[in-house]
Amino acid sequence: MLTVTWETGCRPQESLRVEARHVDLAGERWVFPQSESKGKKTPRVVYLSAKAVEICKRLMTKHPAGNLFRNVDGKPWTPDATNCRFQRIKKSKGVKYSLYALRHTWINRMLLKGVDAFTVAILAGHSDPSMLAKHYAHLSQAPEFLLAQARRVSA
């Protein structure tokens, strides 16, 4: 679950709820119908990296019905169980992690690699890039990022 969340930038509730029926292997994506999407206004599509596709294929074989991501007891991960696991990691490693932090890092990585904000917003499931402008404006203060963007024009 962690790898797929890191690779796709999906929302935590999406990684916790995805089932084999949501997986479109031909399109290399998850498709949540409108009734199961966050705002229930449009279907939610999560595009998968090659690594995420392989993980989904393996888990679909193992769990053709119900949640794909399950704990060692074969039960679906819950938000509380996930948070508990992250708390144990924090206690042992001294670093705080969460599924949402993986999503936040994915958005940062996409923006820093030069993917335009509109595309990142769509991939992240936002209706427009205004949320990115509010929450990721710190990138506009990173001199290395700005220099690289400025040099793209003359390349």
Side-chain angles (χ1 to χ4, degrees):
M1 180 171 55
L2 298 179
T3 300
V4 172
T5 303
W6 172 263
E7 292 278 324
T8 64
C10 66
R11 292 182 174 101
Q13 67 263 30
E14 293 164 345
S15 57
L16 290 170
R17 294 181 184 157
V18 68
E19 300 179 17
R21 66 185 173 88
H22 297 120
V23 182
D24 169 14
L25 287 176
E28 298 183 334
R29 61 191 186 164
W30 297 341
V31 180
F32 292 92
Q34 181 178 341
S35 62
E36 296 177 43
S37 67
K38 181 181 178 190
K40 302 195 184 321
K41 293 180 181 176
T42 60
R44 166 70 164 122
V45 177
V46 176
Y47 291 92
L48 305 173
S49 67
K51 188 182 286 188
V53 168
E54 289 306 314
I55 291 168
C56 288
K57 279 183 188 177
R58 179 174 43 84
L59 292 176
M60 287 172 67
T61 301
K62 193 173 182 180
H63 308 294
N67 297 57
L68 286 184
F69 300 110
R70 301 179 187 207
N71 63 24
V72 292
D73 297 325
K75 296 180 181 177
W77 282 97
T78 64
D80 287 340
T82 306
N83 291 333
C84 182
R85 179 63 59 98
F86 281 122
Q87 287 299 319
R88 280 190 255 150
I89 291 170
K90 180 181 176 184
K91 192 174 185 178
S92 68
K93 304 285 184 196
V95 180
K96 183 180 175 184
Y97 293 105
S98 68
L99 287 176
Y100 191 81
L102 297 176
R103 174 177 167 79
H104 177 74
T105 302
W106 179 86
I107 291 171
N108 270 324
R109 288 185 1 241
M110 295 287 280
L111 293 169
L112 288 171
K113 287 184 178 186
V115 178
D116 67 278
F118 185 75
T119 301
V120 174
I122 297 301
L123 290 172
H126 300 292
S127 56
D128 66 66
S130 65
M131 195 287 301
L132 294 180
K134 292 176 193 169
H135 296 282
Y136 295 88
H138 62 278
L139 294 178
S140 67
Q141 305 304 315
E144 303 84 14
F145 174 74
L146 292 172
L147 178 60
Q149 295 307 302
R151 287 186 173 163
R152 287 179 68 190
V153 174
S154 61

mmCIF file of all heavy atoms in Angstrom, residues 77-120:
data_model
loop_
_atom_site.group_PDB
_atom_site.id
_atom_site.type_symbol
_atom_site.label_atom_id
_atom_site.label_comp_id
_atom_site.label_asym_id
_atom_site.label_seq_id
_atom_site.Cartn_x
_atom_site.Cartn_y
_atom_site.Cartn_z
ATOM 1 N N TRP A 77 -6.838 -2.951 5.571
ATOM 2 C CA TRP A 77 -6.294 -1.901 6.417
ATOM 3 C C TRP A 77 -7.385 -0.895 6.717
ATOM 4 O O TRP A 77 -8.182 -0.550 5.854
ATOM 5 C CB TRP A 77 -5.140 -1.185 5.713
ATOM 6 C CG TRP A 77 -3.869 -1.962 5.746
ATOM 7 C CD1 TRP A 77 -3.372 -2.767 4.770
ATOM 8 C CD2 TRP A 77 -2.936 -2.006 6.821
ATOM 9 N NE1 TRP A 77 -2.175 -3.303 5.157
ATOM 10 C CE2 TRP A 77 -1.881 -2.855 6.417
ATOM 11 C CE3 TRP A 77 -2.880 -1.405 8.071
ATOM 12 C CZ2 TRP A 77 -0.784 -3.118 7.235
ATOM 13 C CZ3 TRP A 77 -1.778 -1.676 8.880
ATOM 14 C CH2 TRP A 77 -0.758 -2.523 8.463
ATOM 15 N N THR A 78 -7.424 -0.418 7.932
ATOM 16 C CA THR A 78 -8.339 0.645 8.329
ATOM 17 C C THR A 78 -7.513 1.903 8.584
ATOM 18 O O THR A 78 -6.290 1.809 8.794
ATOM 19 C CB THR A 78 -9.094 0.277 9.621
ATOM 20 O OG1 THR A 78 -8.141 0.170 10.686
ATOM 21 C CG2 THR A 78 -9.880 -1.020 9.461
ATOM 22 N N PRO A 79 -8.138 3.065 8.603
ATOM 23 C CA PRO A 79 -7.376 4.277 8.939
ATOM 24 C C PRO A 79 -6.691 4.176 10.309
ATOM 25 O O PRO A 79 -5.532 4.562 10.449
ATOM 26 C CB PRO A 79 -8.429 5.384 8.925
ATOM 27 C CG PRO A 79 -9.464 4.883 7.960
ATOM 28 C CD PRO A 79 -9.505 3.393 8.179
ATOM 29 N N ASP A 80 -7.389 3.633 11.303
ATOM 30 C CA ASP A 80 -6.793 3.515 12.643
ATOM 31 C C ASP A 80 -5.606 2.568 12.659
ATOM 32 O O ASP A 80 -4.577 2.863 13.277
ATOM 33 C CB ASP A 80 -7.843 3.039 13.655
ATOM 34 C CG ASP A 80 -8.856 4.108 13.996
ATOM 35 O OD1 ASP A 80 -8.572 5.307 13.779
ATOM 36 O OD2 ASP A 80 -9.955 3.746 14.480
ATOM 37 N N ALA A 81 -5.726 1.446 11.979
ATOM 38 C CA ALA A 81 -4.620 0.486 11.945
ATOM 39 C C ALA A 81 -3.420 1.076 11.207
ATOM 40 O O ALA A 81 -2.266 0.876 11.623
ATOM 41 C CB ALA A 81 -5.069 -0.815 11.275
ATOM 42 N N THR A 82 -3.680 1.798 10.146
ATOM 43 C CA THR A 82 -2.603 2.440 9.390
ATOM 44 C C THR A 82 -1.903 3.473 10.254
ATOM 45 O O THR A 82 -0.666 3.513 10.319
ATOM 46 C CB THR A 82 -3.172 3.101 8.110
ATOM 47 O OG1 THR A 82 -3.892 2.123 7.372
ATOM 48 C CG2 THR A 82 -2.062 3.666 7.248
ATOM 49 N N ASN A 83 -2.679 4.319 10.937
ATOM 50 C CA ASN A 83 -2.089 5.330 11.809
ATOM 51 C C ASN A 83 -1.294 4.701 12.946
ATOM 52 O O ASN A 83 -0.225 5.198 13.315
ATOM 53 C CB ASN A 83 -3.172 6.264 12.360
ATOM 54 C CG ASN A 83 -3.755 7.138 11.286
ATOM 55 O OD1 ASN A 83 -3.099 7.436 10.285
ATOM 56 N ND2 ASN A 83 -4.994 7.567 11.472
ATOM 57 N N CYS A 84 -1.788 3.609 13.481
ATOM 58 C CA CYS A 84 -1.079 2.892 14.545
ATOM 59 C C CYS A 84 0.275 2.394 14.040
ATOM 60 O O CYS A 84 1.294 2.530 14.721
ATOM 61 C CB CYS A 84 -1.936 1.731 15.045
ATOM 62 S SG CYS A 84 -1.191 0.809 16.398
ATOM 63 N N ARG A 85 0.282 1.843 12.837
ATOM 64 C CA ARG A 85 1.542 1.356 12.251
ATOM 65 C C ARG A 85 2.525 2.505 12.051
ATOM 66 O O ARG A 85 3.702 2.388 12.345
ATOM 67 C CB ARG A 85 1.257 0.647 10.937
ATOM 68 C CG ARG A 85 2.470 0.108 10.207
ATOM 69 C CD ARG A 85 3.228 -0.965 10.994
ATOM 70 N NE ARG A 85 2.417 -2.101 11.309
ATOM 71 C CZ ARG A 85 2.390 -3.240 10.626
ATOM 72 N NH1 ARG A 85 3.128 -3.379 9.553
ATOM 73 N NH2 ARG A 85 1.615 -4.221 11.008
ATOM 74 N N PHE A 86 2.031 3.632 11.564
ATOM 75 C CA PHE A 86 2.898 4.799 11.387
ATOM 76 C C PHE A 86 3.414 5.322 12.720
ATOM 77 O O PHE A 86 4.547 5.798 12.802
ATOM 78 C CB PHE A 86 2.177 5.906 10.611
ATOM 79 C CG PHE A 86 2.132 5.668 9.131
ATOM 80 C CD1 PHE A 86 0.920 5.603 8.458
ATOM 81 C CD2 PHE A 86 3.297 5.523 8.396
ATOM 82 C CE1 PHE A 86 0.879 5.388 7.089
ATOM 83 C CE2 PHE A 86 3.261 5.302 7.016
ATOM 84 C CZ PHE A 86 2.049 5.234 6.364
ATOM 85 N N GLN A 87 2.609 5.231 13.773
ATOM 86 C CA GLN A 87 3.070 5.649 15.104
ATOM 87 C C GLN A 87 4.212 4.767 15.587
ATOM 88 O O GLN A 87 5.169 5.242 16.196
ATOM 89 C CB GLN A 87 1.911 5.628 16.118
ATOM 90 C CG GLN A 87 0.914 6.747 15.936
ATOM 91 C CD GLN A 87 1.543 8.114 16.097
ATOM 92 O OE1 GLN A 87 2.374 8.338 16.971
ATOM 93 N NE2 GLN A 87 1.157 9.044 15.243
ATOM 94 N N ARG A 88 4.119 3.473 15.301
ATOM 95 C CA ARG A 88 5.205 2.557 15.683
ATOM 96 C C ARG A 88 6.482 2.875 14.920
ATOM 97 O O ARG A 88 7.580 2.805 15.462
ATOM 98 C CB ARG A 88 4.784 1.108 15.464
ATOM 99 C CG ARG A 88 3.905 0.614 16.599
ATOM 100 C CD ARG A 88 3.689 -0.871 16.521
ATOM 101 N NE ARG A 88 2.315 -1.038 16.027
ATOM 102 C CZ ARG A 88 1.879 -2.040 15.302
ATOM 103 N NH1 ARG A 88 2.686 -3.006 14.956
ATOM 104 N NH2 ARG A 88 0.637 -2.105 14.903
ATOM 105 N N ILE A 89 6.325 3.226 13.649
ATOM 106 C CA ILE A 89 7.492 3.611 12.844
ATOM 107 C C ILE A 89 8.117 4.882 13.425
ATOM 108 O O ILE A 89 9.331 4.979 13.564
ATOM 109 C CB ILE A 89 7.103 3.811 11.363
ATOM 110 C CG1 ILE A 89 6.731 2.470 10.731
ATOM 111 C CG2 ILE A 89 8.241 4.475 10.591
ATOM 112 C CD1 ILE A 89 6.107 2.588 9.347
ATOM 113 N N LYS A 90 7.275 5.829 13.792
ATOM 114 C CA LYS A 90 7.771 7.078 14.371
ATOM 115 C C LYS A 90 8.540 6.805 15.657
ATOM 116 O O LYS A 90 9.615 7.374 15.893
ATOM 117 C CB LYS A 90 6.612 8.032 14.644
ATOM 118 C CG LYS A 90 7.051 9.351 15.238
ATOM 119 C CD LYS A 90 5.866 10.247 15.517
ATOM 120 C CE LYS A 90 6.314 11.519 16.205
ATOM 121 N NZ LYS A 90 5.188 12.360 16.580
ATOM 122 N N LYS A 91 8.002 5.914 16.471
ATOM 123 C CA LYS A 91 8.645 5.591 17.751
ATOM 124 C C LYS A 91 10.003 4.907 17.538
ATOM 125 O O LYS A 91 10.978 5.214 18.213
ATOM 126 C CB LYS A 91 7.725 4.690 18.577
ATOM 127 C CG LYS A 91 8.135 4.523 20.005
ATOM 128 C CD LYS A 91 7.083 3.743 20.771
ATOM 129 C CE LYS A 91 7.444 3.677 22.244
ATOM 130 N NZ LYS A 91 6.428 2.969 23.012
ATOM 131 N N SER A 92 10.068 4.016 16.568
ATOM 132 C CA SER A 92 11.318 3.272 16.348
ATOM 133 C C SER A 92 12.332 4.038 15.499
ATOM 134 O O SER A 92 13.530 3.950 15.730
ATOM 135 C CB SER A 92 11.040 1.911 15.722
ATOM 136 O OG SER A 92 10.563 2.067 14.402
ATOM 137 N N LYS A 93 11.864 4.808 14.516
ATOM 138 C CA LYS A 93 12.778 5.506 13.601
ATOM 139 C C LYS A 93 12.929 6.988 13.916
ATOM 140 O O LYS A 93 13.828 7.642 13.399
ATOM 141 C CB LYS A 93 12.282 5.373 12.146
ATOM 142 C CG LYS A 93 12.085 3.956 11.679
ATOM 143 C CD LYS A 93 13.387 3.295 11.410
ATOM 144 C CE LYS A 93 13.133 1.906 10.839
ATOM 145 N NZ LYS A 93 14.288 1.078 10.903
ATOM 146 N N GLY A 94 11.988 7.527 14.690
ATOM 147 C CA GLY A 94 12.037 8.943 15.019
ATOM 148 C C GLY A 94 11.587 9.857 13.887
ATOM 149 O O GLY A 94 11.838 11.054 13.909
ATOM 150 N N VAL A 95 10.914 9.284 12.885
ATOM 151 C CA VAL A 95 10.447 10.064 11.739
ATOM 152 C C VAL A 95 8.939 9.854 11.608
ATOM 153 O O VAL A 95 8.452 8.732 11.705
ATOM 154 C CB VAL A 95 11.160 9.610 10.436
ATOM 155 C CG1 VAL A 95 10.673 10.424 9.254
ATOM 156 C CG2 VAL A 95 12.662 9.713 10.582
ATOM 157 N N LYS A 96 8.232 10.960 11.379
ATOM 158 C CA LYS A 96 6.784 10.884 11.243
ATOM 159 C C LYS A 96 6.404 10.666 9.778
ATOM 160 O O LYS A 96 6.827 11.414 8.899
ATOM 161 C CB LYS A 96 6.140 12.170 11.751
ATOM 162 C CG LYS A 96 4.635 12.143 11.709
ATOM 163 C CD LYS A 96 4.049 13.431 12.230
ATOM 164 C CE LYS A 96 2.539 13.420 12.065
ATOM 165 N NZ LYS A 96 1.943 14.677 12.479
ATOM 166 N N TYR A 97 5.605 9.636 9.539
ATOM 167 C CA TYR A 97 5.085 9.339 8.210
ATOM 168 C C TYR A 97 3.572 9.210 8.282
ATOM 169 O O TYR A 97 3.010 8.952 9.343
ATOM 170 C CB TYR A 97 5.649 8.013 7.678
ATOM 171 C CG TYR A 97 7.111 8.015 7.380
ATOM 172 C CD1 TYR A 97 8.016 7.392 8.227
ATOM 173 C CD2 TYR A 97 7.596 8.634 6.236
ATOM 174 C CE1 TYR A 97 9.369 7.386 7.942
ATOM 175 C CE2 TYR A 97 8.953 8.635 5.949
ATOM 176 C CZ TYR A 97 9.837 8.011 6.804
ATOM 177 O OH TYR A 97 11.167 8.014 6.524
ATOM 178 N N SER A 98 2.939 9.348 7.136
ATOM 179 C CA SER A 98 1.501 9.088 7.014
ATOM 180 C C SER A 98 1.216 8.865 5.535
ATOM 181 O O SER A 98 2.031 9.225 4.678
ATOM 182 C CB SER A 98 0.680 10.272 7.531
ATOM 183 O OG SER A 98 0.842 11.393 6.686
ATOM 184 N N LEU A 99 0.075 8.278 5.239
ATOM 185 C CA LEU A 99 -0.299 8.108 3.835
ATOM 186 C C LEU A 99 -0.446 9.467 3.167
ATOM 187 O O LEU A 99 -0.052 9.641 2.017
ATOM 188 C CB LEU A 99 -1.610 7.316 3.715
ATOM 189 C CG LEU A 99 -1.523 5.826 4.006
ATOM 190 C CD1 LEU A 99 -2.914 5.195 3.940
ATOM 191 C CD2 LEU A 99 -0.580 5.125 3.054
ATOM 192 N N TYR A 100 -1.000 10.435 3.898
ATOM 193 C CA TYR A 100 -1.156 11.750 3.299
ATOM 194 C C TYR A 100 0.203 12.391 3.013
ATOM 195 O O TYR A 100 0.367 13.094 2.013
ATOM 196 C CB TYR A 100 -2.010 12.685 4.169
ATOM 197 C CG TYR A 100 -2.361 13.920 3.389
ATOM 198 C CD1 TYR A 100 -3.421 13.904 2.485
ATOM 199 C CD2 TYR A 100 -1.591 15.077 3.474
ATOM 200 C CE1 TYR A 100 -3.722 15.009 1.718
ATOM 201 C CE2 TYR A 100 -1.891 16.181 2.711
ATOM 202 C CZ TYR A 100 -2.948 16.147 1.834
ATOM 203 O OH TYR A 100 -3.230 17.233 1.061
ATOM 204 N N ALA A 101 1.190 12.142 3.867
ATOM 205 C CA ALA A 101 2.538 12.686 3.625
ATOM 206 C C ALA A 101 3.112 12.114 2.328
ATOM 207 O O ALA A 101 3.815 12.816 1.595
ATOM 208 C CB ALA A 101 3.463 12.374 4.800
ATOM 209 N N LEU A 102 2.797 10.862 2.027
ATOM 210 C CA LEU A 102 3.261 10.269 0.764
ATOM 211 C C LEU A 102 2.615 10.973 -0.419
ATOM 212 O O LEU A 102 3.257 11.234 -1.431
ATOM 213 C CB LEU A 102 2.953 8.768 0.737
ATOM 214 C CG LEU A 102 3.651 7.928 1.801
ATOM 215 C CD1 LEU A 102 3.175 6.484 1.723
ATOM 216 C CD2 LEU A 102 5.151 8.008 1.670
ATOM 217 N N ARG A 103 1.340 11.302 -0.297
ATOM 218 C CA ARG A 103 0.631 12.036 -1.357
ATOM 219 C C ARG A 103 1.238 13.430 -1.528
ATOM 220 O O ARG A 103 1.499 13.877 -2.639
ATOM 221 C CB ARG A 103 -0.857 12.136 -1.004
ATOM 222 C CG ARG A 103 -1.689 12.990 -1.949
ATOM 223 C CD ARG A 103 -3.154 12.942 -1.506
ATOM 224 N NE ARG A 103 -3.992 13.935 -2.130
ATOM 225 C CZ ARG A 103 -4.501 13.858 -3.353
ATOM 226 N NH1 ARG A 103 -4.229 12.816 -4.114
ATOM 227 N NH2 ARG A 103 -5.284 14.814 -3.824
ATOM 228 N N HIS A 104 1.467 14.111 -0.419
ATOM 229 C CA HIS A 104 2.057 15.449 -0.443
ATOM 230 C C HIS A 104 3.435 15.408 -1.114
ATOM 231 O O HIS A 104 3.747 16.246 -1.963
ATOM 232 C CB HIS A 104 2.168 15.982 0.988
ATOM 233 C CG HIS A 104 2.816 17.309 1.104
ATOM 234 N ND1 HIS A 104 2.192 18.478 0.744
ATOM 235 C CD2 HIS A 104 4.046 17.659 1.553
ATOM 236 C CE1 HIS A 104 3.014 19.497 0.961
ATOM 237 N NE2 HIS A 104 4.142 19.027 1.455
ATOM 238 N N THR A 105 4.231 14.424 -0.769
ATOM 239 C CA THR A 105 5.562 14.280 -1.361
ATOM 240 C C THR A 105 5.463 13.994 -2.853
ATOM 241 O O THR A 105 6.245 14.509 -3.647
ATOM 242 C CB THR A 105 6.350 13.169 -0.638
ATOM 243 O OG1 THR A 105 6.432 13.511 0.745
ATOM 244 C CG2 THR A 105 7.742 13.014 -1.201
ATOM 245 N N TRP A 106 4.490 13.182 -3.258
ATOM 246 C CA TRP A 106 4.289 12.885 -4.684
ATOM 247 C C TRP A 106 3.975 14.170 -5.450
ATOM 248 O O TRP A 106 4.542 14.406 -6.520
ATOM 249 C CB TRP A 106 3.156 11.862 -4.845
ATOM 250 C CG TRP A 106 2.853 11.506 -6.255
ATOM 251 C CD1 TRP A 106 3.460 10.544 -7.009
ATOM 252 C CD2 TRP A 106 1.852 12.105 -7.099
ATOM 253 N NE1 TRP A 106 2.892 10.512 -8.269
ATOM 254 C CE2 TRP A 106 1.913 11.459 -8.347
ATOM 255 C CE3 TRP A 106 0.911 13.120 -6.906
ATOM 256 C CZ2 TRP A 106 1.068 11.797 -9.399
ATOM 257 C CZ3 TRP A 106 0.075 13.449 -7.954
ATOM 258 C CH2 TRP A 106 0.154 12.792 -9.181
ATOM 259 N N ILE A 107 3.075 14.995 -4.903
ATOM 260 C CA ILE A 107 2.746 16.263 -5.565
ATOM 261 C C ILE A 107 3.988 17.141 -5.665
ATOM 262 O O ILE A 107 4.269 17.713 -6.723
ATOM 263 C CB ILE A 107 1.585 16.975 -4.828
ATOM 264 C CG1 ILE A 107 0.289 16.178 -5.014
ATOM 265 C CG2 ILE A 107 1.427 18.412 -5.323
ATOM 266 C CD1 ILE A 107 -0.883 16.649 -4.160
ATOM 267 N N ASN A 108 4.748 17.235 -4.584
ATOM 268 C CA ASN A 108 5.999 18.005 -4.614
ATOM 269 C C ASN A 108 6.945 17.488 -5.691
ATOM 270 O O ASN A 108 7.522 18.272 -6.446
ATOM 271 C CB ASN A 108 6.711 17.941 -3.264
ATOM 272 C CG ASN A 108 6.312 19.044 -2.334
ATOM 273 O OD1 ASN A 108 6.063 20.163 -2.752
ATOM 274 N ND2 ASN A 108 6.236 18.729 -1.060
ATOM 275 N N ARG A 109 7.118 16.171 -5.737
ATOM 276 C CA ARG A 109 8.033 15.574 -6.724
ATOM 277 C C ARG A 109 7.594 15.906 -8.141
ATOM 278 O O ARG A 109 8.422 16.226 -9.001
ATOM 279 C CB ARG A 109 8.105 14.047 -6.542
ATOM 280 C CG ARG A 109 8.854 13.620 -5.315
ATOM 281 C CD ARG A 109 9.049 12.102 -5.143
ATOM 282 N NE ARG A 109 8.539 11.243 -6.157
ATOM 283 C CZ ARG A 109 7.605 10.308 -5.957
ATOM 284 N NH1 ARG A 109 7.072 10.132 -4.780
ATOM 285 N NH2 ARG A 109 7.212 9.535 -6.942
ATOM 286 N N MET A 110 6.297 15.797 -8.402
ATOM 287 C CA MET A 110 5.786 16.087 -9.741
ATOM 288 C C MET A 110 6.067 17.537 -10.130
ATOM 289 O O MET A 110 6.550 17.818 -11.231
ATOM 290 C CB MET A 110 4.276 15.821 -9.818
ATOM 291 C CG MET A 110 3.881 14.378 -9.625
ATOM 292 S SD MET A 110 4.294 13.354 -11.036
ATOM 293 C CE MET A 110 2.934 13.748 -12.109
ATOM 294 N N LEU A 111 5.769 18.460 -9.223
ATOM 295 C CA LEU A 111 5.990 19.877 -9.507
ATOM 296 C C LEU A 111 7.475 20.182 -9.700
ATOM 297 O O LEU A 111 7.854 20.916 -10.615
ATOM 298 C CB LEU A 111 5.390 20.746 -8.395
ATOM 299 C CG LEU A 111 3.862 20.720 -8.302
ATOM 300 C CD1 LEU A 111 3.393 21.392 -7.016
ATOM 301 C CD2 LEU A 111 3.220 21.360 -9.522
ATOM 302 N N LEU A 112 8.320 19.598 -8.840
ATOM 303 C CA LEU A 112 9.762 19.839 -8.957
ATOM 304 C C LEU A 112 10.355 19.244 -10.229
ATOM 305 O O LEU A 112 11.366 19.731 -10.727
ATOM 306 C CB LEU A 112 10.494 19.302 -7.725
ATOM 307 C CG LEU A 112 10.285 20.124 -6.451
ATOM 308 C CD1 LEU A 112 10.861 19.394 -5.243
ATOM 309 C CD2 LEU A 112 10.898 21.515 -6.596
ATOM 310 N N LYS A 113 9.730 18.209 -10.754
ATOM 311 C CA LYS A 113 10.204 17.618 -12.010
ATOM 312 C C LYS A 113 9.694 18.386 -13.227
ATOM 313 O O LYS A 113 9.968 18.025 -14.357
ATOM 314 C CB LYS A 113 9.790 16.149 -12.101
ATOM 315 C CG LYS A 113 10.598 15.258 -11.177
ATOM 316 C CD LYS A 113 10.250 13.802 -11.353
ATOM 317 C CE LYS A 113 11.125 12.958 -10.443
ATOM 318 N NZ LYS A 113 10.931 11.534 -10.676
ATOM 319 N N GLY A 114 8.925 19.442 -12.977
ATOM 320 C CA GLY A 114 8.489 20.298 -14.069
ATOM 321 C C GLY A 114 7.148 19.956 -14.678
ATOM 322 O O GLY A 114 6.775 20.527 -15.702
ATOM 323 N N VAL A 115 6.394 19.041 -14.048
ATOM 324 C CA VAL A 115 5.054 18.750 -14.550
ATOM 325 C C VAL A 115 4.191 19.970 -14.224
ATOM 326 O O VAL A 115 4.231 20.484 -13.103
ATOM 327 C CB VAL A 115 4.470 17.471 -13.907
ATOM 328 C CG1 VAL A 115 3.063 17.201 -14.406
ATOM 329 C CG2 VAL A 115 5.384 16.277 -14.177
ATOM 330 N N ASP A 116 3.430 20.444 -15.206
ATOM 331 C CA ASP A 116 2.662 21.666 -14.987
ATOM 332 C C ASP A 116 1.590 21.457 -13.922
ATOM 333 O O ASP A 116 1.087 20.363 -13.723
ATOM 334 C CB ASP A 116 2.037 22.160 -16.297
ATOM 335 C CG ASP A 116 0.974 21.214 -16.819
ATOM 336 O OD1 ASP A 116 1.347 20.214 -17.464
ATOM 337 O OD2 ASP A 116 -0.210 21.477 -16.562
ATOM 338 N N ALA A 117 1.261 22.544 -13.224
ATOM 339 C CA ALA A 117 0.336 22.492 -12.089
ATOM 340 C C ALA A 117 -1.043 21.980 -12.491
ATOM 341 O O ALA A 117 -1.689 21.275 -11.714
ATOM 342 C CB ALA A 117 0.222 23.869 -11.447
ATOM 343 N N PHE A 118 -1.501 22.316 -13.686
ATOM 344 C CA PHE A 118 -2.815 21.844 -14.122
ATOM 345 C C PHE A 118 -2.829 20.315 -14.211
ATOM 346 O O PHE A 118 -3.747 19.661 -13.716
ATOM 347 C CB PHE A 118 -3.199 22.471 -15.465
ATOM 348 C CG PHE A 118 -4.588 22.122 -15.891
ATOM 349 C CD1 PHE A 118 -5.687 22.726 -15.292
ATOM 350 C CD2 PHE A 118 -4.806 21.171 -16.873
ATOM 351 C CE1 PHE A 118 -6.982 22.388 -15.669
ATOM 352 C CE2 PHE A 118 -6.094 20.827 -17.258
ATOM 353 C CZ PHE A 118 -7.184 21.442 -16.655
ATOM 354 N N THR A 119 -1.791 19.742 -14.818
ATOM 355 C CA THR A 119 -1.707 18.283 -14.949
ATOM 356 C C THR A 119 -1.584 17.622 -13.581
ATOM 357 O O THR A 119 -2.254 16.625 -13.304
ATOM 358 C CB THR A 119 -0.523 17.888 -15.852
ATOM 359 O OG1 THR A 119 -0.709 18.486 -17.135
ATOM 360 C CG2 THR A 119 -0.400 16.386 -16.002
ATOM 361 N N VAL A 120 -0.757 18.179 -12.719
ATOM 362 C CA VAL A 120 -0.603 17.621 -11.368
ATOM 363 C C VAL A 120 -1.944 17.668 -10.632
ATOM 364 O O VAL A 120 -2.328 16.700 -9.981
ATOM 365 C CB VAL A 120 0.495 18.365 -10.568
ATOM 366 C CG1 VAL A 120 0.542 17.872 -9.120
ATOM 367 C CG2 VAL A 120 1.853 18.193 -11.225
#
